[in-house]
Amino acid sequence: MEDQLQAQWNDFAVLLAKMSGYREAIGLLHWDLRTGAPRKGAEVRAKTIGMLSGEHFKLETSPEMGRFTELFSQPEANAQLSAAQRKIVEDCRKEYERSQSISPEKYEEYAVLAAHSETMWESAKAENDFASFEPYLSKIVAFKQEFIDSWGVKGTRYDTLLDMYEPDLTVAKLDEIFGKLRSRLVPLAEKIAASPHQPDAAFLEGEFPSDRQEEFGLFLLKQMGYDFEAGRLDESVHPFATGLNPGDVRITTNYVLDNVTSSLFSCLHEGGHALYEQNISKDLVGTPLAQGASMGIHESQSRLWENMIGRSRAFWQRYYNDLQSRFPDKFANVDMEDFYRAINRVENSLIRIDADELTYNLHIIIRYEIEKLIFNEGLQVKDLPEVWNAKYKEYLGVVPPTDSLGVLQDVHWSGGDFGYFASYSLGNMYAAQFLNTLRKELPEFDSLVASGNLLPIKEWLTEAIYRYGMSETPSQIIERVTGEPLNPDYLADYLEQKYTDIYHLDDH
Amino acid sequence: MEDQLQAQWNDFAVLLAKMSGYREAIGLLHWDLRTGAPRKGAEVRAKTIGMLSGEHFKLETSPEMGRFTELFSQPEANAQLSAAQRKIVEDCRKEYERSQSISPEKYEEYAVLAAHSETMWESAKAENDFASFEPYLSKIVAFKQEFIDSWGVKGTRYDTLLDMYEPDLTVAKLDEIFGKLRSRLVPLAEKIAASPHQPDAAFLEGEFPSDRQEEFGLFLLKQMGYDFEAGRLDESVHPFATGLNPGDVRITTNYVLDNVTSSLFSCLHEGGHALYEQNISKDLVGTPLAQGASMGIHESQSRLWENMIGRSRAFWQRYYNDLQSRFPDKFANVDMEDFYRAINRVENSLIRIDADELTYNLHIIIRYEIEKLIFNEGLQVKDLPEVWNAKYKEYLGVVPPTDSLGVLQDVHWSGGDFGYFASYSLGNMYAAQFLNTLRKELPEFDSLVASGNLLPIKEWLTEAIYRYGMSETPSQIIERVTGEPLNPDYLADYLEQKYTDIYHLDDH
């Protein structure tokens, strides 16, 4: 790079690092709110988060940002940048243009509301009181509607929200992908329901002291290579992972006394997110590329560790003894194979995060359709419980007895994350496609898992995906790693094979 | 206030609230670093703290701050302000003028260094390695020397640092106050050493599981009225209290397995600091007055709860049973009176935070004299361990066997807090003087403590001191509450009376 251009880049890097600093502070303030901050400080805390988010927003939309992204987008200058630098410029420019249309005051007001709204959601869920949460959620939706207008609508209004989480995704494409997936999963689900070989899962119930659940979660996280010198495990209402910087990637879980699998699989899930962020190249620290490529790619890693590894037979061949020894009165007389089948039973249930790998996608399609209704058809927030319950009856044949078990179950909407849910199913599809390649390149995959030798898998994923952070787009990653674009058949193949075995669907 | 002036004040209030927000974020980032943040994130974290401190500093020294403080200092405008508003203007102006002479870049550099230096101090203390810490501390001192030049020297160079923690305090005044105090305490210490009635404290040794220590600390904090909905208790290497906002005032402690009193009294101590900040008037939230009046007044509250209440006979008349029931194998056969005498034994020891109420002041005088040597006489950081050990030998007759037990024991210097230590002895003196008035106005004081009815005491302190926050200066507070200026005789009287009883100094 020419000296003068390099000097400009150095100044740009200072601006980027300052923005990273704000994100770290905001991330910690959020993490703290959700892991034990005193209630009486929450109101002032929300204002503080709002203020800092406003400052970050000001930098994102500052004249300097405009000048730098303009400068580095010019062909002559752009040609002198590395690929990573070009991606930074492109992403910052997109964000700059999107944000220009919203005033910092408006954005700060929104951030304060969103922080408040999360706290209100926590109480509303605890007390099964949708009415107390409704005014907050309505305001969040109103803000989002206003933002969509400001950002400009391409395709449908909802497309504008989807694009924030998964670049280039549209309602048209998603309708097609989900349609294809559904067309293969529905017959599979029917065959499963009709199978006489239903797993018994009664032994998964009972009392599981949370200290032992925690100890087992910590053990499994160490096994998968989660670095506790660059992270920590805490409790929160809704499990999450947050990367404050690549040397500080935290995860949380929620211990449910009568459900040992809930926390266990949330540890593997959030641990998968965290492995991704802990292994981003240190070269990217202080830049906007030091994060996951997209929500969908991020979710592919949590799902790969939670389901494709964590719910595999090989995994429990290695770790079932460890589980038994921690809960001997529960599992001493249960065969590993029965346990494996139980944690993979397919069931039409109420709670997304506890759903099996197959029906999980139906939970997502319900939310995807409701979000489309809100933003494309004007569905009102007050009508959400009714629509939610009707869709659950239609798609899954179950009706939530309370809103806490229904429309209030997820944190996402309270923080304004509309358009996010689709990423979960995309994550499943990306994960199955990555796994297909991983198995080809590491043919001993099953025996590695069965012997608890998980580090070569972590290393393969680091080389293929993690270290790049956000340097590539989701479609660049999936094509570079697997040689083809996203293809939902890999997930359908994987599920068919897995459940054919578990439910003996080949029996005649 | 005139409408136009009110409009200006409202704009000023927005600036002040933003500064409060930065302080809350910085406070949390610090708290987190010291209560369990992953090590590998510490380097980036230090930069983030530096960046935010730099932003706070920019506001403190901004043209707007200059304009507002200038405007509201003009007699016509000033006359329309409330007393609290006038204090805000005065404090902000003093800070503005002091800070004008330091560039934001310099200040940010210093803040990054200070955050780093605290982390280095932690390792150095753990590994008894002063050499690894020395370069950091030397740089901190060099910065402080430079800052003193920038701020301008009034009196001696060290006066400039003292003024930051206790307005109007000078080396001349402190030399006089400490001289007077010493002239009464030294003969008392000699009488105590010569007494044949030395308390036996052997039963304070042994093993005290930290979970039971924690449980007892939580119990006592609840008893004194610490509000757990506006705070939390965590562990850190060095105990501290931090008020993020009046609804979020956190404290930490450090459980020492073979010392039950260390954590116990640090809970009462930090709890005293926290009671102060939790009970600051909500009207002051978002302003710089929502904090303690000075380090000395703050310390008077931690010392009052830790020593004057927590080490009183009346307190243990009420709570000794509770301690016995938690550690029955240790205290079942120990009389309350013996326990009371043991926790009040006077001993020439190495560690300031574990020192008794009498010799504590000698620990402070050592640090005060060393700081004077550094800033007024050019003592080098590399020579600190030698000077430290020599002074301990001279004043307390003990020589630290390691630097961890000597010059590395305190966190303060690592974070640049030179001039702070004197506040601890000032705190003792203020506390004794407040207690004298408190006892007059609540004559049933001893029986309230002996019955565990501590809330009237907390309420008296709230009315007299806490609710004002920083609205008054230390000398205004002590004179309003006690009717006279700071007078070290109250502390000397209190200690003479207490130890005459415990050591039977009246026996002939």
Side-chain angles (χ1 to χ4, degrees):
Chain A
M1 210 187 287
E2 287 162 12
D3 284 357
Q4 212 184 339
L5 198 67
Q6 182 67 56
Q8 293 280 343
W9 185 270
N10 294 348
D11 289 346
F12 185 37
V14 170
L15 174 62
L16 296 175
K18 182 185 275 193
M19 292 173 66
S20 282
Y22 276 111
R23 288 195 299 275
E24 175 167 359
I26 294 163
L28 183 69
L29 290 158
H30 268 294
W31 171 85
D32 181 67
L33 261 190
R34 289 160 73 175
T35 55
R39 273 197 97 66
K40 290 184 182 171
E43 199 178 321
V44 173
R45 172 63 60 87
K47 286 186 195 153
T48 299
I49 291 174
M51 185 277 284
L52 294 172
S53 302
E55 293 300 307
H56 183 268
F57 184 81
K58 276 182 206 163
L59 296 178
E60 207 166 55
T61 58
S62 62
E64 296 73 37
M65 181 57 82
R67 193 175 64 75
F68 283 126
T69 53
E70 170 71 26
L71 167 67
F72 292 114
S73 297
Q74 285 164 8
E76 251 177 80
N78 201 260
Q80 296 182 52
L81 303 182
S82 69
Q85 288 173 324
R86 269 196 289 275
K87 181 68 159 51
I88 291 172
V89 171
E90 194 185 321
D91 289 351
C92 287
R93 192 166 195 190
K94 185 173 173 185
E95 207 57 58
Y96 175 79
E97 285 170 358
R98 172 151 53 195
S99 308
Q100 273 303 308
S101 47
I102 300 175
S103 73
E105 293 73 27
K106 171 69 71 182
Y107 189 76
E108 179 165 343
E109 198 188 331
Y110 169 71
V112 173
L113 171 67
H116 257 307
S117 168
E118 277 197 40
T119 307
M120 292 309 299
W121 164 77
E122 270 196 29
S123 326
K125 183 180 174 183
E127 290 154 26
N128 186 37
D129 182 7
F130 182 80
S132 71
F133 177 50
E134 194 233 301
Y136 291 86
L137 189 56
S138 294
K139 277 185 215 160
I140 294 268
V141 168
F143 266 105
K144 284 277 159 173
Q145 292 281 23
E146 204 181 325
F147 291 172
I148 292 172
D149 287 326
S150 304
W151 293 328
V153 177
K154 288 179 197 140
T156 75
R157 298 180 65 79
Y158 184 46
D159 279 321
T160 308
L161 298 180
L162 286 174
D163 179 59
M164 297 191 63
Y165 301 102
E166 206 65 19
D168 307 327
L169 253 197
T170 60
V171 167
K173 282 189 200 169
L174 262 188
D175 282 352
E176 187 196 327
I177 288 171
F178 279 146
K180 195 167 179 186
L181 189 65
R182 203 164 45 218
S183 75
R184 290 194 57 188
L185 297 193
V186 169
L188 178 58
E190 285 167 0
K191 274 205 230 171
I192 289 170
S195 165
H197 305 285
Q198 297 294 325
D200 175 18
F203 52 79
L204 292 181
E205 286 161 24
E207 255 193 43
F208 302 89
S210 50
D211 56 344
R212 266 185 256 170
Q213 291 195 46
E214 181 183 9
E215 193 272 321
F216 191 54
L218 291 168
F219 167 74
L220 290 181
L221 284 163
K222 271 175 207 141
Q223 290 288 308
M224 64 193 277
Y226 177 79
D227 181 354
F228 279 92
E229 294 199 348
R232 48 182 284 169
L233 174 66
D234 293 87
E235 277 188 72
S236 67
V237 174
H238 187 92
F240 66 99
T242 182
L244 303 179
N245 68 56
D248 188 351
V249 184
R250 305 179 180 197
I251 58 180
T252 70
T253 186
N254 179 20
Y255 302 108
V256 183
L257 189 63
D258 60 359
N259 184 342
V260 73
T261 56
S262 172
S263 162
L264 192 168
F265 288 111
S266 88
C267 282
L268 296 176
H269 181 98
E270 304 306 338
H273 282 304
L275 277 195
Y276 192 173
E277 300 226 0
Q278 283 187 336
N279 292 289
I280 291 172
S281 166
K282 296 293 172 281
D283 299 343
L284 301 177
V285 169
T287 78
L289 302 186
Q291 51 186 313
S294 72
M295 295 303 165
I297 298 290
H298 228 309
E299 199 62 21
S300 77
Q301 296 314 302
S302 55
R303 302 259 134 196
L304 194 148
W305 283 98
E306 177 192 355
N307 291 330
M308 290 157 191
I309 295 171
R311 287 185 212 266
S312 71
R313 184 181 278 119
F315 187 82
W316 292 104
Q317 282 168 349
R318 166 63 188 83
Y319 294 110
Y320 189 55
N321 277 344
D322 293 295
L323 181 71
Q324 284 179 310
S325 71
R326 278 157 181 95
F327 305 100
D329 54 326
K330 293 288 180 298
F331 297 121
N333 299 317
V334 176
D335 277 353
M336 190 281 283
E337 184 65 20
D338 291 333
F339 176 79
Y340 167 67
R341 296 183 71 230
I343 59 170
N344 283 297
R345 74 199 177 288
V346 175
E347 208 173 40
N348 291 342
S349 67
L350 292 170
I351 304 297
R352 176 183 60 83
I353 59 166
D354 295 332
D356 59 81
E357 292 177 74
L358 176 50
T359 61
Y360 189 93
N361 301 287
L362 298 175
H363 289 265
I364 293 309
I365 291 170
I366 289 173
R367 287 157 177 77
Y368 169 73
E369 292 188 355
I370 291 177
E371 292 185 350
K372 273 203 295 186
L373 287 173
I374 295 173
F375 292 98
N376 289 350
E377 312 292 337
L379 175 66
Q380 297 297 299
V381 167
K382 70 173 168 45
D383 298 326
L384 281 180
E386 198 187 330
V387 174
W388 182 282
N389 293 351
K391 290 220 175 261
Y392 263 77
K393 186 152 188 2
E394 183 188 346
Y395 284 74
L396 285 154
V398 292
V399 177
T402 66
D403 289 335
S404 296
L405 295 170
V407 69
L408 286 173
Q409 70 182 263
D410 297 306
V411 69
H412 305 63
W413 291 346
S414 77
D417 289 334
F418 292 95
Y420 186 115
F421 279 119
S423 313
Y424 292 117
S425 269
L426 286 168
N428 288 335
M429 291 184 268
Y430 286 132
Q433 191 163 335
F434 286 135
L435 180 67
N436 181 65
T437 302
L438 170 52
R439 281 180 170 283
K440 277 187 209 152
E441 298 192 5
L442 278 186
E444 71 279 29
F445 179 83
D446 282 329
S447 67
L448 287 172
V449 175
S451 60
N453 191 3
L454 304 176
L455 296 189
I457 297 168
K458 186 191 97 172
E459 277 158 25
W460 188 90
L461 292 165
T462 297
E463 282 308 301
I465 303 165
Y466 299 168
R467 66 193 180 90
Y468 293 90
M470 212 185 201
S471 309
E472 296 181 337
T473 64
S475 50
Q476 283 171 337
I477 294 173
I478 195 84
E479 291 186 37
R480 175 178 50 75
V481 176
T482 71
E484 63 175 308
L486 178 63
N487 178 350
D489 282 332
Y490 288 106
L491 178 61
D493 291 346
Y494 159 83
L495 292 172
E496 269 179 16
Q497 195 183 345
K498 179 167 187 173
Y499 290 117
T500 297
D501 170 53
I502 291 173
Y503 283 87
H504 306 288
L505 302 182
D506 281 345
D507 287 6
H508 299 288
Chain B
M1 209 188 287
E2 287 163 11
D3 283 358
Q4 211 183 339
L5 197 68
Q6 182 67 56
Q8 292 280 344
W9 185 270
N10 295 346
D11 289 345
F12 185 36
V14 170
L15 174 62
L16 296 175
K18 182 185 274 194
M19 290 172 67
S20 281
Y22 276 111
R23 288 195 298 275
E24 174 168 358
I26 294 164
L28 183 69
L29 290 158
H30 267 295
W31 171 85
D32 181 67
L33 261 190
R34 289 159 73 175
T35 56
R39 273 198 97 66
K40 289 183 182 172
E43 199 178 320
V44 173
R45 172 65 60 88
K47 286 186 196 153
T48 298
I49 290 175
M51 184 278 284
L52 293 173
S53 302
E55 293 300 308
H56 182 268
F57 184 82
K58 275 182 207 162
L59 296 179
E60 207 166 54
T61 57
S62 61
E64 296 75 37
M65 181 57 82
R67 193 174 64 74
F68 283 126
T69 53
E70 169 72 26
L71 168 67
F72 292 113
S73 298
Q74 286 165 9
E76 252 177 80
N78 201 261
Q80 296 182 51
L81 303 182
S82 70
Q85 288 173 325
R86 268 196 289 275
K87 180 67 158 53
I88 291 173
V89 170
E90 193 186 322
D91 289 352
C92 286
R93 190 164 198 192
K94 184 174 174 185
E95 207 57 59
Y96 175 78
E97 285 170 0
R98 171 149 55 195
S99 308
Q100 274 302 307
S101 47
I102 299 176
S103 73
E105 293 71 28
K106 171 70 70 182
Y107 188 76
E108 179 165 344
E109 198 188 332
Y110 169 71
V112 173
L113 171 66
H116 257 306
S117 170
E118 276 197 40
T119 307
M120 291 309 299
W121 164 77
E122 272 196 27
S123 328
K125 183 179 174 183
E127 289 154 27
N128 186 38
D129 181 7
F130 181 80
S132 72
F133 177 51
E134 195 235 299
Y136 291 86
L137 189 56
S138 295
K139 278 186 214 158
I140 294 268
V141 168
F143 266 105
K144 285 276 158 173
Q145 292 281 23
E146 204 181 325
F147 290 173
I148 291 172
D149 288 325
S150 303
W151 292 329
V153 177
K154 288 180 197 141
T156 76
R157 297 180 65 79
Y158 184 46
D159 279 320
T160 309
L161 298 180
L162 287 174
D163 180 59
M164 297 192 63
Y165 300 102
E166 206 65 20
D168 307 326
L169 252 198
T170 60
V171 167
K173 282 189 201 169
L174 262 188
D175 281 351
E176 186 197 330
I177 287 170
F178 280 146
K180 195 167 178 186
L181 189 65
R182 203 165 43 219
S183 75
R184 290 193 58 188
L185 297 193
V186 168
L188 178 59
E190 286 168 359
K191 276 206 230 171
I192 289 170
S195 164
H197 306 285
Q198 296 295 324
D200 175 18
F203 52 78
L204 293 180
E205 286 161 25
E207 255 193 41
F208 302 88
S210 49
D211 56 343
R212 269 184 255 169
Q213 291 195 47
E214 181 183 7
E215 195 271 321
F216 191 53
L218 291 168
F219 167 74
L220 290 180
L221 285 163
K222 272 175 206 141
Q223 290 289 307
M224 63 193 277
Y226 177 80
D227 181 353
F228 279 92
E229 292 199 349
R232 47 182 285 168
L233 174 66
D234 293 88
E235 277 187 72
S236 66
V237 174
H238 187 92
F240 67 98
T242 182
L244 303 179
N245 69 57
D248 188 351
V249 184
R250 305 179 181 198
I251 58 180
T252 70
T253 187
N254 179 19
Y255 303 107
V256 183
L257 188 63
D258 59 0
N259 183 343
V260 73
T261 55
S262 173
S263 161
L264 192 169
F265 288 111
S266 88
C267 282
L268 295 176
H269 181 99
E270 304 306 337
H273 281 304
L275 276 196
Y276 192 172
E277 300 227 359
Q278 284 187 337
N279 292 289
I280 291 173
S281 166
K282 296 292 173 279
D283 298 343
L284 301 177
V285 169
T287 79
L289 302 186
Q291 52 185 313
S294 72
M295 294 304 162
I297 299 290
H298 228 309
E299 200 62 22
S300 76
Q301 296 314 302
S302 54
R303 301 259 136 197
L304 194 149
W305 283 99
E306 177 192 354
N307 290 330
M308 290 157 190
I309 295 171
R311 287 184 212 266
S312 71
R313 184 181 277 116
F315 187 81
W316 292 103
Q317 281 168 351
R318 165 64 187 84
Y319 294 110
Y320 189 55
N321 277 344
D322 292 296
L323 180 70
Q324 283 178 310
S325 70
R326 277 154 182 99
F327 304 100
D329 54 324
K330 293 288 181 299
F331 297 120
N333 299 317
V334 176
D335 277 353
M336 190 280 282
E337 183 65 20
D338 291 331
F339 176 78
Y340 166 66
R341 296 183 72 231
I343 59 170
N344 282 297
R345 74 198 178 288
V346 174
E347 207 174 41
N348 292 342
S349 67
L350 292 169
I351 304 296
R352 176 183 60 83
I353 59 166
D354 294 333
D356 57 81
E357 292 179 72
L358 176 51
T359 60
Y360 190 92
N361 300 287
L362 299 176
H363 288 267
I364 294 307
I365 291 169
I366 289 172
R367 287 157 177 76
Y368 169 71
E369 292 187 356
I370 292 177
E371 292 185 350
K372 273 203 295 185
L373 286 174
I374 296 172
F375 292 98
N376 289 350
E377 312 292 336
L379 175 66
Q380 297 297 298
V381 167
K382 70 173 167 48
D383 299 325
L384 280 180
E386 199 185 331
V387 174
W388 181 282
N389 292 351
K391 290 221 175 261
Y392 262 78
K393 187 153 185 13
E394 182 189 346
Y395 284 73
L396 286 155
V398 291
V399 178
T402 66
D403 288 334
S404 296
L405 295 169
V407 70
L408 286 173
Q409 70 183 263
D410 297 306
V411 69
H412 305 62
W413 291 346
S414 77
D417 289 334
F418 291 95
Y420 186 116
F421 279 119
S423 314
Y424 291 117
S425 269
L426 287 168
N428 287 335
M429 293 183 268
Y430 287 132
Q433 191 164 333
F434 286 136
L435 180 67
N436 182 66
T437 303
L438 171 53
R439 281 180 170 283
K440 278 187 208 151
E441 298 191 5
L442 277 187
E444 70 280 28
F445 179 82
D446 281 329
S447 67
L448 287 173
V449 174
S451 61
N453 192 2
L454 304 176
L455 296 190
I457 298 169
K458 186 192 96 172
E459 277 159 25
W460 187 91
L461 292 165
T462 298
E463 282 308 302
I465 303 165
Y466 298 167
R467 65 192 181 92
Y468 293 90
M470 213 184 199
S471 307
E472 297 181 336
T473 64
S475 49
Q476 284 170 337
I477 294 173
I478 194 84
E479 291 186 36
R480 176 177 51 73
V481 176
T482 71
E484 62 175 308
L486 178 62
N487 178 350
D489 282 332
Y490 288 106
L491 177 61
D493 291 346
Y494 159 82
L495 292 173
E496 270 179 15
Q497 194 183 345
K498 179 167 186 173
Y499 290 116
T500 296
D501 171 53
I502 291 173
Y503 282 87
H504 307 288
L505 302 182
D506 280 343
D507 288 6
H508 297 290

